[in-house]
Amino acid sequence: MSVAVRGAIGAPVDRLEGREKVTGSAKYAYEHEAENVLHVLGVAATVAAGRVVHVDERSVLDLPGVVAVLWHANAPKLSKETDPELALFQSDRVAYRGQWVAGVVAESFAAASGAERALRVEYEAAEHDSVLTDGHPSLYTPEKVNPSFPTDTSDGDVDRGLAEADVVVDETYRTPTEHNNAMEPHATLAIWHDGGVTVYDSNQGVRPVRQALADAFELDPDHVRVISPHVGGGFGSKGTPRPNVILAAMAAKVLGRPAKVAVTRQQMFSVTGYRTPTIQRVRLGATRDGRLTAIAHDVVEQTSLLKEFAEQTAVVTRMLYASPSRSTSHKLARLNVPTPSWMRAPGECPGMFALESAMDELARALELDPIELRLRNEPQIDPESGNRFSTRNLVGCLREGAERFGWKEAPARDGRWLIGSGVAASTYPARRAASQAIARAEADGTFTVGIAAADIGTGARTVIAQIAADTLEVELDRVRVELGDSRLPPAMIAGGSMGTSSWGAAVVKACRELRTRLADDLPVEVHADTADDSGGVEREPVSSHGFGAQFVEVRVDSDTGEVRVSRAVGVFACGRIVNPKTARSQFLGGMTMGLSMALLEETVLDGRFGAYLNHDLAGYHVAVNADIPAIHVHWLDEVDEHVNPMGAKGIGEIGIVGTAAAVANAVFDATGIRVRELPITPAKLAASL
Ligand code: MOS
């Protein structure tokens, strides 16, 4: 932006709280202390449908250290407005296996843990149905898809586009249930005081947690305080409040003592959200010279019996490529499963596995280079809205990536290893939401910026300080950032890749205003609100998205079908990069999670019991160091002044988009086998090799 002060926008600043984190002094939710604290655990339903007939409190109350059991017969009534996933113990109904039907309260975590195992719960089980199929009888069309996109769209005549095509691809792709698995499990410490409650909680936004508590316990939101200075990851699962928040507050209220709840790793597979499985039919028609005549993307996915979550899986197909005809649709089955929710790039991530696999299949059918196919279908304007793109550098990413990756070596063989390469496009919307911030010039020459932002390990605290330092034109070490506290000005959550964009806009506004007040008596504080601000420099509607290109080389063991990724290159165009060090980590993390999705991640449901079988990190495999090769991350110089005054687009999610398709496309290149169902396990290859 303006001048080169140390630590300004563009500087590779270390995380400001890095020392606290590596020395262990940074406190996470469960580590906060309170005198006389109670330890509470949720107790999971062991049937997938039916009702709780009785909870035998005596089965645990005599155990040492056990204080109480909460369940629907004795739990305080919560407001009827409470979110159904948070309305703990308000009815005897069981909607899915793993739903919390009771809470055990004890003097220690060990005692609570013993009680959780020993508690006898009597159920009346009912028939359940937990398995998603594309012809499921409960399929229906939701009114909108997350967060508020139209469910179905249609533009031009797809049937005609397909009929007139020289080449048609019509295939169905499947992605499995996946769980977010942040390193820090969800946890809450609740402390009541006169008429209100303070919670220390692990979340992606203090405001939604505050609102959930206010709603459930019918409190003035000003009497609820949520504190969340450090969060060990979320990937979407902490973007919405989870039942640990309610259980901690409920136990603390009933027992009149502070209470803390830790969600166990196993319980994270039922009560903290997950990525819905998808069944996606993609139809592409193209002329012989590789111009699309039709794109159709029809998605089947699931929701729970408690509430609707409709993932926006096909939304990306509405804007990515030019085609005279285009249609998308979403249908949901209502099942005895936990309610799906956000997981890194909900919509774009699974949707692009299907679309970018199908584009590769089309390129093969046309005998056209897959990059060239994409270049031939690059739209001049947003095909859905007709708006121009604020900046769109997909072509640049593909070209730069091809150069850096060495696209494209012919597939090869090295002993029993088959070697191949794949490419896929990547994109994610660049949005921002209203946020407020304060900026204060202190009497000692330092500055304080306050905003209810969340740093979930991304470096948010650091980039907010950089944006403030840059705007104030002062060195970074004169700027202090306060975040993670609901008493601070309300702000967007750390979600939708909108954090930096939304918070930064408010911080710039506050700091610009503060600069005009520096002649006043110090300290002086200003408050800014971006609610009424337009997105950027012009009022003309534009479409803003980040873009990227993913290149992957795989080695496939021709005996076992084992796939090893040997190289990965990602090139992104996401506006100005505020901090190259933390940004690189975001792209690397996204790509790592995408490779993990491609080869490893799958939560396996046993339909007979409605139960997830691999509900821990021994059975649910996330990529570890040995799975991940050198990943090379690059970005194009870009400034997008439409999204926010920093010229930056969000980068938290785009790294995972398209990665799995690039892997599947590379596996095809190496083996001639097209795997249309993730993850790409040895079993799906071995039989055909
Ligand atoms: Mo992210 S899945 O939008 O929290």
Side-chain angles (χ1 to χ4, degrees):
M1 296 178 81
S2 34
V3 299
V5 292
R6 201 170 57 226
I9 289 177
V13 177
D14 290 345
R15 278 177 175 70
L16 299 180
E17 77 288 4
R19 180 178 295 266
E20 280 174 79
K21 280 181 173 165
V22 299
T23 56
S25 64
K27 274 195 180 162
Y28 291 83
Y30 201 76
E31 298 172 320
H32 287 276
E33 281 150 35
E35 250 180 77
N36 210 19
V37 71
L38 291 162
H39 295 257
V40 189
L41 280 171
V43 178
T46 58
V47 298
R51 49 182 286 267
V52 173
V53 177
H54 186 66
V55 171
D56 182 6
E57 298 172 39
R58 289 163 314 165
S59 62
V60 298
L61 283 178
D62 289 341
L63 298 176
V66 178
V67 173
V69 177
L70 297 168
W71 62 294
H72 74 77
N74 65 11
K77 290 293 159 246
L78 301 174
S79 156
K80 297 250 181 296
E81 306 304 309
T82 307
D83 176 300
E85 284 277 6
L86 302 181
L88 293 180
F89 324 142
Q90 301 300 294
S91 102
D92 60 354
R93 293 283 144 191
V94 177
Y96 60 86
R97 183 182 291 262
Q99 187 180 5
W100 285 357
V101 294
V104 288
V105 186
E107 298 289 353
S108 68
F109 181 82
S113 196
E116 185 235 339
R117 285 192 301 273
L119 186 70
R120 279 204 296 270
V121 180
E122 190 188 325
Y123 298 94
E124 184 181 286
E127 290 280 305
H128 70 270
D129 183 357
S130 307
V131 179
L132 179 67
T133 59
D134 51 6
H136 198 278
S138 72
L139 284 178
Y140 73 100
T141 300
E143 266 180 37
K144 57 182 174 53
V145 292
N146 175 62
S148 55
F149 291 107
T151 307
D152 297 349
T153 58
S154 165
D155 193 6
D157 186 341
V158 162
D159 289 337
R160 207 173 105 200
L162 290 168
E164 288 175 1
D166 297 317
V167 176
V168 170
V169 169
D170 180 354
E171 297 292 350
T172 297
Y173 304 86
R174 289 179 163 79
T175 61
T177 299
E178 294 160 1
H179 278 82
N180 310 55
N181 275 307
M183 283 302 289
E184 182 208 10
H186 299 60
T188 311
L189 162 62
I191 305 162
W192 286 84
H193 37 79
D194 328 307
V197 65
T198 296
V199 300
Y200 295 84
D201 180 63
S202 180
N203 60 63
Q204 290 172 228
V206 287
R207 278 277 162 160
V209 173
R210 183 178 94 145
Q211 194 60 48
L213 284 163
D215 288 347
F217 294 94
E218 296 178 324
L219 298 166
D220 177 342
D222 286 340
H223 294 162
V224 181
R225 184 173 180 193
V226 182
I227 302 173
S228 187
H230 300 291
V231 177
F235 307 120
S237 74
K238 293 173 184 168
T240 48
R242 293 290 153 187
N244 46 291
V245 172
I246 303 297
L247 182 55
M250 182 188 282
K253 184 173 184 172
V254 170
L255 280 306
R257 290 168 59 181
K260 50 168 63 170
V261 174
V263 180
T264 66
R265 178 62 61 182
Q266 293 208 344
Q267 290 175 340
M268 287 174 72
F269 285 79
S270 44
V271 297
T272 61
Y274 65 98
R275 197 194 292 288
T276 177
T278 68
I279 303 169
Q280 307 179 53
R281 182 182 182 198
V282 179
R283 288 170 293 161
L284 301 176
T287 57
R288 181 45 59 202
D289 68 347
R291 302 203 192 262
L292 288 166
T293 57
I295 310 178
H297 192 167
D298 300 295
V299 182
V300 169
E301 50 203 11
Q302 73 190 30
T303 191
S304 72
L305 297 175
L306 284 180
K307 61 186 261 200
E308 179 180 285
F309 178 81
E311 180 144 325
Q312 72 276 35
T313 307
V315 164
V316 69
T317 301
R318 299 172 185 171
M319 54 64 65
L320 193 54
Y321 297 118
S323 168
S325 74
R326 191 180 316 99
S327 76
T328 61
S329 75
H330 299 83
K331 286 194 162 48
L332 292 182
R334 282 195 197 279
L335 301 173
N336 294 106
V337 292
T339 312
S341 185
W342 304 330
M343 180 163 160
R344 207 172 199 168
E348 279 76 10
C349 175
M352 284 286 275
F353 167 66
L355 179 62
E356 289 299 278
S357 292
M359 284 294 279
D360 201 69
E361 300 208 51
L362 181 62
R364 293 277 169 178
L366 291 164
E367 296 179 357
L368 187 64
D369 180 85
I371 293 178
E372 183 56 33
L373 175 64
R374 289 174 174 86
L375 300 186
R376 287 188 193 174
N377 293 286
E378 172 73 4
Q380 295 311 304
I381 53 169
D382 179 344
E384 185 186 20
S385 65
N387 296 338
R388 72 180 182 86
F389 287 101
S390 55
T391 47
R392 174 170 168 129
N393 251 324
L394 174 58
V395 170
C397 292
L398 287 164
R399 292 215 165 108
E400 172 103 9
E403 178 84 23
R404 290 183 178 273
F405 182 82
W407 185 261
K408 174 193 175 285
E409 302 277 322
R413 186 170 189 129
D414 172 14
R416 62 174 212 269
W417 293 93
L418 305 172
I419 304 168
S421 329
V423 63
S426 186
T427 186
Y428 196 79
R431 298 167 294 209
R432 69 174 180 81
S435 292
Q436 300 177 28
I438 58 110
R440 192 165 59 239
E442 311 286 0
D444 65 0
T446 64
F447 296 86
T448 303
V449 170
I451 181 165
D455 190 333
I456 61 173
T458 53
R461 185 181 270 107
T462 311
V463 302
I464 288 171
Q466 288 180 261
I467 292 166
D470 197 290
T471 312
L472 293 165
E473 297 184 28
V474 302
E475 310 251 310
L476 189 69
D477 57 12
R478 284 170 66 194
V479 177
R480 182 182 307 103
V481 174
E482 295 175 350
L483 51 65
D485 187 334
S486 62
R487 288 201 176 160
L488 294 164
M492 178 59 190
I493 65 165
S497 298
M498 293 160 76
T500 298
S501 183
S502 309
W503 308 325
V507 168
V508 166
K509 192 172 186 181
C511 290
R512 282 184 182 160
E513 163 78 12
L514 184 62
R515 286 187 64 165
T516 69
R517 304 277 304 278
L518 292 178
D520 295 8
D521 283 343
L522 302 185
V524 59
E525 179 175 304
V526 301
H527 174 266
D529 184 347
T530 63
D532 297 325
D533 299 1
S534 70
V537 291
E538 291 166 45
R539 302 214 169 254
E540 147 210 17
V542 295
S543 290
S544 294
H545 298 257
F547 292 90
Q550 307 254 8
F551 292 80
V552 167
E553 179 190 81
V554 297
R555 297 165 67 89
V556 182
D557 186 319
S558 58
D559 292 336
T560 66
E562 177 186 355
V563 178
R564 307 296 301 185
V565 174
S566 40
R567 282 194 303 135
V569 173
V571 179
F572 300 93
C574 294
R576 180 178 273 128
I577 297 300
V578 178
N579 179 331
K581 185 173 281 185
T582 53
R584 185 168 175 277
S585 293
Q586 286 300 298
F587 292 126
L588 276 178
M591 290 175 71
T592 299
M593 208 163 165
L595 298 174
S596 189
M597 172 191 190
L599 299 178
L600 302 169
E601 294 194 35
E602 173 176 28
T603 323
V604 179
L605 183 99
D606 185 331
R608 292 171 302 172
F609 306 105
Y612 292 125
L613 298 177
N614 53 340
H615 51 162
D616 58 33
L617 292 177
Y620 183 99
H621 290 175
V622 296
V624 297
N625 272 341
D627 298 306
I628 299 299
I631 296 179
H632 303 276
V633 171
H634 308 277
W635 50 82
L636 305 181
D637 281 330
E638 191 182 85
V639 178
D640 191 324
E641 287 171 337
H642 289 272
V643 186
N644 53 55
M646 299 82 68
K649 296 173 179 173
I651 56 171
E653 288 160 284
I654 191 169
I656 197 175
V657 178
T659 327
V663 174
N665 298 343
V667 167
F668 180 84
D669 190 52
T671 65
I673 301 168
R674 180 63 64 176
V675 181
R676 301 189 182 90
E677 180 171 7
L678 293 180
I680 305 168
T681 53
K684 290 176 188 160
L685 292 169
S688 317
L689 277 165

